[in-house]
Each structure stands twice: as structure tokens, then as C-alpha cells.
Amino acid sequence: MRTTCPLDCYDACSVIFDGKKLKGDKEHSYTNGHLCPNLNHYLNEPRIQKARFNGKEITNEEALNILYEKLKDSHDKKTLLFKSSGNFGYMQNITKEFFSKFGSTFTSGNLCDSGGEAGIIEGRGKNYSLTPSLIKKSKVVVVWGRNIDSTNSHLLEIIKDKILIVIDPVKTPLGKKADIHLQIKPRSDFDLAILFCRFAYMEQMEDEEWIAKHGSDFDYFLNFFRSYTINQLLDSTQIVIEDFLTALMLIKDTPTSFLVGNGVSKYTNANETLRAIDSFVAMLGYFGKEGCGVGFLGNSTLGYELPFSNYNVKTTPMATVDFGEFDLVFIQGANPANQMPNTNRVFDGLKKSKFVVYYGLFENQTSALADLVIPSVNFLAKQDIRFSYSHEFVGLMPKLKEEEFGVSEYNLTKYLLARFDYPQLESKAKYIEKIVESNSNFENHYITSKSYDSLPYSEDDFHFEFIDDSEDESELKDEDGFYLITPKYKYSLNSQFKTDNYVHIHPSLGYKDDEEVTITTKYGKLNIKVKNSDDLREDSIRIYSGVDGVNKLTPSFLSLEGDGACFQEVKVKIERA
Ligand SMILES: Nc1nc2c(c(=O)[nH]1)N[C@H]1C(S)=C(S)[C@@H](COP(=O)(O)OP(=O)(O)OC[C@H]3O[C@@H](n4cnc5c(=O)[nH]c(N)nc54)[C@H](O)[C@@H]3O)O[C@H]1N2
Ligand SMILES: Nc1nc2c(c(=O)[nH]1)N[C@H]1C(S)=C(S)[C@@H](COP(=O)(O)OP(=O)(O)OC[C@H]3O[C@@H](n4cnc5c(=O)[nH]c(N)nc54)[C@H](O)[C@@H]3O)O[C@H]1N2
Ligand code: SF4
Ligand SMILES: [Mo]
């Protein structure tokens, strides 16, 4: 029986379930028979089996009734739906059908890519993925702040024979194999993009014809990037100039894919960085051409008609939401007490809020703080559909087994709508059918998005707006301390599954392996053991996403645009504990 991995991951693998085990689909050209460790161990992960109220186990019926009563009591008060993507299935959004009618506040932006995506929208209007079939046509692949070995591993096969340029402050596995690795200083990607523009212009690499047809504000852009001196840019990026120039020459007149990841977007200037990278690529005329373009997470639902997406509700940015302002908080598919920035602040807010509901599969820091815990059912026991932020396949997720325990999102929503006498839902099958019909191609067992039938951005009327201004006033680089790199771990999916529980430090700093240190920032502190690694720069430390307490160190700022989280807009101090 065929289904799709539900985890929040680029690859959206096609999965075969034989009634007991999950296996990679061999017929699926991208999944190619392999799953990653996270899904391989998914079914062994201990689940929440019983609902809980004030720490006492109750039945699902009792839990739903308590939820109804508490909602009824807070009807004219402030309530919040906080939904993340623990399960990436689109039907998970169905709870919005109830909470919008009820008048709850929703969240805007996300903890992930919304800052970066805002810059893409400003430049090119729509964020198309750079799909594997498009990347296959490139000669050069630039991997910029994306750790493909861990987070997007099926792409390794596609890029294995390409000329590879990696831009990452860490010697990642791919960085070690690359033709060029620019071990950039953290938070200087905007400057590197501008440096690329400066040298490309000196080398007369700009595509005048393309710019005349598709670009606007190129003259302003020219003045803008020339206002930065080369020395200033070399100084801030700290890259090796010879390697940089070799990289530029490799890109020149050669089909190049830029695979940009979340590493560049965990800062306040995420939108400007993405727009500057796009502007460099646009200047070369590398949009709408075979084997060229920029891919960055982002909107995976382009062209599809979507239910549960247009509500007239109040919103508050997800990354800075103050739970304490709400009388009732409904947390779905998320672990904000660990994954939101500034978790000391999040803890205070959750404690202050009168009633916190956690609705998920696994126990975590948030379930431990909740007044009411409602177990959900896993992806095998409910019907859904998912998109990918990396390829063009749309994955069906049929219901393949009965629920052992827990309540599905559809049933929970149906229950609440009925208790409040609101109009009822259509059937799951109907919603999914409508979504699929709106934009799909069908071949063998697979569905792909029609949005990729023609080359993205190749339309005659495609219009690109170059960047010509910066509002970045961050002074992070002048602050004392080390940069905090907090990327994804291979064996966890954010806070789900295994975590690593180490701080990775360059050996020259003089700590011993397994020695305990205290890491401090303006926002909090964390005691953690050391693992030495010369993969890091001497000015940075690394603690993976999902590690308990890592976000005590991180700030609750928003990106300049897009309401994005800024996990790395911070410097840390280290002391022996
Ligand atoms: N195994 C696994 N896979 C996952 C996830 C997971 O938790 N585990 N999470 C999923 C999710 S939610 C997402 S959003 C994606 C994200 O996946 P990616 O886009 O790969 O993002 P990250 O792992 O956060 O960071 C990627 C790289 O950015 C580098 N980096 C850090 N700071 C900077 C910087 O200032 N400049 C540059 N150039 N690079 C920098 C890091 O060293 C790291 O190698 O992965 C998804 N896939
Ligand atoms: N320091 C640091 N912090 C980060 C990041 C980082 O790189 N560094 N990355 C950020 C990013 S990119 C992201 S996307 C966020 C992710 O943050 P979250 O979305 O909060 O991710 P998880 O920690 O994986 O929590 C997902 C929860 O969903 C629940 N779940 C799984 N399946 C289902 C289901 O079918 N139904 C329901 N109701 N629940 C389900 C599980 O119980 C799990 O605990 O974290 C952000 N936080
Ligand atoms: S690589 Fe990503 S999509 Fe594939 S099985 Fe692992 S988590 Fe799921
Ligand atoms: Mo994410």
C-alpha cells in the first residue's frame, strides 16, 4: 500500500506500508527505494496513548467534552490556534474551519522560511521550487546554507556528478566533497551576494538582454551594490578570495542551480539576503533558463486551489506570539516550548495562559506544560495529501489502518462544529479530490503539479525587481561572543525522535570532549556537554535544533519582512560549568 511521508521535510518520500513496516517506494523516481532514519524508526517511537487533564488520564470523549466546555467558557475571550507542521499533510489545516468560525486568533509567518520567502516574493513575485528535474540540467550546483546530507538526502543522487560549490560556515559533509567550499562568516550571506554582484559586473557577466526584458530598477541596483566596497565585503564575509573568484568563473556562462537553505534565513535580514541572492542570479539572466535558478523552501502549493486558506481572522506573528495574552491556547502539531525562539519567554507565556491544549503524537516540553493533552492519530490512520518544498510530486496519504488510540484532526473538528451548531464539513475525500483536480498531472501511480509543466519564470511577461536598498541595522557582528549555529540534526525531525545534546566547538578553544559548559546569551543559559569538531569556525558554536533548551538562548525578534523567526541573531558566551 502506497502512501507519503508526513514529516516536515524537503523530500516528501513515497512510502510503501506492508501492514507492519514502512519502506521506500522503489518505483518513485526521486524516493528511489530509500527512506531516512527518521521515518525508518517512526513506528517505534513511543506515542501518547491516553488523553490527560491536569495530569490525570481520561478518555478521548472526556477530553473532547472538556475542550468544548473550556471553549464555551472563553467564547467572548481571547483564544489562539497555534498550528505548526509536525504532520505536513494539508488536511491538518482542517481545524481552521472550526477555529475561524469561533473567532480565534491565528498565527502569521512561521518559525521556518517566511522571512526568506518574503524577499523572494518582493523580487520575483512567486516562489517556485527548483525541482530535481530542473536541477538535473545544471552543470554547477551552489549549495548555500543547506545541509543536504541531513535534511534533503535524496537530492544527493541528483547532484552527485555536478560541479559543486558550497557556502556554509561549517565544513558540512558536502562542503568537504565540494570543488569549492566558501567557509563564510555567519550572517554575511547578504554581503557575499553583493560581492558576487560586484565582481560579476566587473567581469561583464550581466545579461543585458534579459535585464532589459524582465528586470526593473537595474540602475538603482547597480548604484546600490557599488556603494559597498570590495574590501568591506571581503572583510565581513572572510572568504578566501581565490576560491571566491574560482567559484565565480565556474558559474560564468554555465547553467547553475542555487540551492539555498534555511541557514541563511535565521536572521533579521533574511528577506534581504534572499532578494540579494536572487538579484545576483537575475543579473546573470539565470531565471527561466534550462538548468538555472534559485530554490529556497517556500510555497509548495502553487497553482492548487486550497480550502482552509482564506479566513478573515486576527493574526499574531508565530515567532513572537505571547501565549500569556490568551485565555485558551490550542497547540497542534507543534512543540513551541522547545522550538520557538526565547523559550524562557514561551514558558512564562504558557504558564500565564489560563488553559493550554496540546494536540500531538509524542510527549515533549509542550505536552508537559499543557492542561489538556489530546493524542492525535498518525498518518497511517487518516486520509491526507501533501506537497513538497523541493519536488513536483504531490503525495496521497490514504487511510491504511484503523486508529488504535487518539482522535484525528477531521474528527476533532467535526465534533467541535457539531457541539457549537456550526455548519458541518464536507467529506475528506471530497476536499482532497477538489485539491487534486485543480492542478495535477497523473502518470502511473503518481501525481505531479502542473505548475512545472513549463519552465518556471520563462514567461515573456515575467518581471523581476532588483534590490536597491537595505534596512538592516543589526550590530551583531560587533558584539562580543560566538555565533550560534543551530541547524537540523540528521536523526531528529526538529524535536521529534533522537536529539544530539552537545555543543560542537572548535578544538582551539581548549575544551575537552564531554566537559560541561554553560552557554549564555541575553535571553538565557544552558548547561551542555562539549563535542570538539574542527568542522566549525573558531568564531561559531553549533547546537542542533531540537536539543532541549537550545532556544533558551535565542531571541524572539522578527525578520524585517515576512514575520520570520531569527534563531541565529545572537552571540553566545561560553564558560566552564
Ligand atoms: N533530518 C532532518 N531533516 C529535516 C529537518 C530535521 O529537523 N531533520 N527539518 C526540516 C525542516 S523543518 C527544514 S526547514 C529543513 C531545513 O534544512 P536546511 O535548509 O538544510 O537548514 P538547516 O539544517 O537549518 O541549516 C543548513 C545549513 O546552514 C548552515 N548555516 C548556518 N548559519 C549559516 C549562515 O550564516 N550562512 C550560511 N551560508 N550557512 C549557514 C548550517 O551550517 C547548515 O549546514 O530541513 C527539513 N529536513
Ligand atoms: N534552534 C532552532 N529552533 C528551530 C529551528 C532551528 O533550526 N533551530 N527550526 C525551526 C523550524 S525550520 C521549524 S519548521 C520549527 C519546527 O517546530 P515544530 O513544528 O514545533 O516541530 P516539532 O518539534 O517537530 O514538533 C512537531 C510536533 O507535531 C506533533 N505531530 C506529529 N504528527 C502529528 C499529527 O499527525 N497530528 C498532530 N496533531 N500532531 C502531530 C508531534 O507530536 C511533534 O511533537 O522549529 C523551528 N525551531
Ligand atoms: S527523507 Fe524526509 S520525506 Fe523522506 S522519509 Fe525522511 S523525513 Fe520523510
Ligand atoms: Mo522548517
Side-chain angles (χ1 to χ4, degrees):
M1 295 177 285
R2 184 171 273 107
T3 180
T4 312
C5 175
L7 298 175
D8 181 354
C9 169
Y10 290 97
D11 287 353
C13 289
S14 180
V15 176
I16 306 292
F17 178 58
D18 64 6
K20 281 196 172 141
K21 281 198 172 133
L22 303 170
K23 294 193 182 127
D25 180 355
K26 290 186 183 141
E27 286 178 57
H28 190 271
S29 59
Y30 185 63
T31 305
N32 203 13
H34 304 291
L35 301 177
C36 77
N38 288 318
L39 204 66
N40 278 329
H41 298 126
Y42 180 89
L43 295 179
N44 303 331
E45 190 67 18
R47 294 258 306 276
I48 303 177
Q49 303 200 359
K50 279 260 175 192
R52 234 168 33 230
F53 178 53
N54 290 336
K56 213 174 122 250
E57 287 191 351
I58 53 173
T59 64
N60 290 336
E61 292 68 36
E62 287 167 329
L64 290 176
N65 189 50
I66 292 168
L67 177 61
Y68 164 71
E69 293 290 342
K70 290 287 170 185
L71 281 165
K72 197 162 56 104
D73 289 347
S74 23
H75 205 255
D76 49 352
K77 305 203 183 91
K78 290 185 87 178
T79 58
L80 174 76
L81 170 65
F82 184 99
K83 180 199 165 290
S84 189
S85 307
N87 178 330
F88 206 79
Y90 190 76
M91 291 296 290
Q92 300 301 295
N93 288 299
I94 200 155
T95 47
K96 293 179 183 166
E97 281 292 285
F98 168 75
F99 285 99
S100 60
K101 293 188 177 71
F102 188 71
S104 296
T105 301
F106 287 13
T107 55
S108 59
N110 58 40
L111 304 179
C112 183
D113 60 348
S114 61
E117 189 171 45
I120 289 182
I121 302 305
E122 286 165 339
R124 45 179 147 123
K126 275 188 193 166
N127 183 10
Y128 285 100
S129 296
L130 202 50
T131 61
S133 37
L134 299 171
I135 300 167
K136 268 187 190 152
K137 297 187 177 130
S138 321
K139 269 205 163 143
V140 174
V141 169
V142 180
V143 177
W144 197 328
R146 194 191 291 190
N147 188 13
I148 290 182
D149 286 80
S150 295
T151 61
N152 187 196
S153 56
H154 292 78
L155 203 60
L156 290 174
E157 182 61 25
I158 312 283
I159 62 172
K160 70 173 193 267
D161 298 323
K162 309 289 179 195
I163 298 170
L164 203 60
I165 299 168
V166 169
I167 303 169
D168 200 300
V170 176
K171 288 178 193 144
T172 56
L174 214 53
K176 291 178 190 172
K177 280 189 260 173
D179 295 272
I180 301 283
H181 175 205
L182 301 177
Q183 201 179 359
I184 188 175
K185 182 170 161 178
R187 207 198 187 278
S188 68
D189 302 277
F190 176 86
D191 288 355
L192 184 65
I194 299 293
L195 192 67
F196 269 122
C197 297
R198 286 228 49 173
F199 275 92
Y201 193 66
M202 285 193 283
E203 291 289 328
Q204 298 177 328
M205 284 165 70
E206 74 277 18
D207 182 339
E208 283 172 5
E209 207 181 305
W210 190 93
I211 294 167
K213 189 166 170 200
H214 299 287
S216 70
D217 292 342
F218 187 73
D219 289 344
Y220 291 110
F221 170 56
L222 193 65
N223 287 334
F224 173 64
F225 70 70
R226 285 161 84 194
S227 68
Y228 293 80
T229 70
I230 287 177
N231 279 342
Q232 180 188 355
L233 298 169
L234 284 173
D235 186 50
S236 76
T237 54
Q238 294 183 357
I239 40 118
V240 178
I241 178 83
E242 291 78 13
D243 290 349
F244 167 80
L245 291 174
T246 311
L248 187 71
M249 287 307 116
L250 287 170
I251 294 168
K252 187 174 181 177
D253 299 327
T254 312
T256 305
S257 287
F258 292 78
L259 308 178
V260 185
N262 220 0
V264 306
S265 78
K266 296 179 199 185
Y267 303 105
T268 45
N269 68 339
N271 57 311
E272 294 187 352
T273 300
L274 263 299
R275 189 152 170 216
I277 295 172
D278 266 9
S279 294
F280 164 58
V281 175
M283 169 183 178
L284 305 179
Y286 284 5
F287 278 110
K289 290 201 184 123
E290 293 275 316
C292 291
V294 182
F296 171 75
L297 295 113
N299 192 332
S300 51
T301 58
L302 279 179
Y304 279 89
E305 275 172 36
L306 299 168
F308 330 131
S309 60
N310 254 331
Y311 298 107
N312 185 14
V313 289
K314 280 179 273 163
T315 61
T316 183
M318 181 177 252
T320 52
V321 62
D322 180 358
F323 291 112
E325 280 183 7
F326 294 90
D327 291 287
L328 186 147
V329 175
F330 186 86
I331 298 171
Q332 178 192 342
N335 182 11
N338 196 55
Q339 290 304 114
M340 259 177 80
N342 200 345
T343 42
N344 284 328
R345 178 179 169 273
V346 173
F347 267 63
D348 289 345
L350 287 172
K351 282 184 190 142
K352 222 167 108 199
S353 167
K354 290 203 187 70
F355 199 71
V356 175
V357 185
Y358 169 81
Y359 181 33
L361 291 188
F362 309 121
E363 298 288 3
N364 56 30
Q365 292 82 357
T366 309
S367 68
L369 287 174
D371 300 290
L372 179 66
V373 174
I374 308 177
S376 180
V377 300
N378 78 16
F379 75 109
L380 295 170
K382 57 194 177 198
Q383 190 181 4
D384 212 321
I385 176 171
R386 78 161 284 176
F387 301 89
S388 150
Y389 41 92
S390 162
H391 59 63
E392 65 272 54
F393 291 93
V394 178
L396 293 179
M397 306 157 85
K399 179 171 173 177
L400 298 180
K401 68 180 201 50
E402 281 310 312
E403 309 166 5
E404 288 161 47
F405 33 76
V407 187
S408 74
E409 286 66 19
Y410 184 85
N411 287 342
L412 179 133
T413 308
K414 240 174 97 175
Y415 174 90
L416 291 175
L417 289 170
R419 294 284 319 250
F420 281 96
D421 279 330
Y422 296 148
Q424 260 307 340
L425 299 171
E426 293 188 48
S427 74
K428 274 173 268 185
K430 193 93 199 147
Y431 289 115
I432 293 173
E433 200 182 295
K434 278 195 201 158
I435 297 173
V436 169
E437 274 174 4
S438 66
N439 197 39
S440 298
N441 296 315
F442 303 88
E443 205 183 322
N444 301 327
H445 322 286
Y446 305 112
I447 298 174
T448 53
S449 160
K450 272 191 178 155
S451 302
Y452 296 92
D453 285 357
S454 59
L455 202 56
Y457 310 112
S458 62
E459 323 80 75
D460 276 347
D461 61 355
F462 169 60
H463 172 79
F464 185 85
E465 279 194 38
F466 287 96
I467 187 167
D468 59 10
D469 188 19
S470 166
E471 288 171 12
D472 183 16
E473 288 176 357
S474 162
E475 290 174 353
L476 190 66
K477 70 175 181 326
D478 303 319
E479 287 180 21
D480 287 340
F482 298 87
Y483 288 97
L484 172 65
I485 311 277
T486 172
K488 313 298 186 189
Y489 184 49
K490 188 168 185 151
Y491 301 100
S492 73
L493 211 296
N494 296 308
S495 71
Q496 302 176 79
F497 318 121
K498 292 193 176 59
T499 48
D500 168 77
N501 300 330
Y502 284 98
V503 55
H504 301 235
I505 298 185
H506 194 275
S508 69
L509 301 185
Y511 294 94
K512 291 197 209 70
D513 277 345
D514 288 317
E515 172 174 5
E516 193 162 288
V517 290
T518 306
I519 314 277
T520 319
T521 66
K522 284 179 223 165
Y523 315 99
K525 58 161 95 168
L526 172 68
N527 282 2
I528 187 165
K529 284 185 177 167
V530 170
K531 205 179 258 177
N532 278 291
S533 166
D534 47 24
D535 293 344
L536 288 150
R537 289 170 53 100
E538 293 181 16
D539 62 2
S540 323
I541 63 157
R542 177 177 62 197
I543 307 176
Y544 286 113
S545 173
V547 170
D548 191 9
V550 59
N551 282 321
K552 288 185 179 164
L553 305 172
T554 57
S556 41
F557 301 149
L558 290 179
S559 53
L560 293 166
E561 300 286 338
D563 289 346
C566 303
F567 295 98
Q568 295 188 178
E569 192 71 39
V570 69
K571 288 249 181 100
V572 307
K573 301 225 161 72
I574 314 171
E575 290 170 318
R576 295 203 150 78

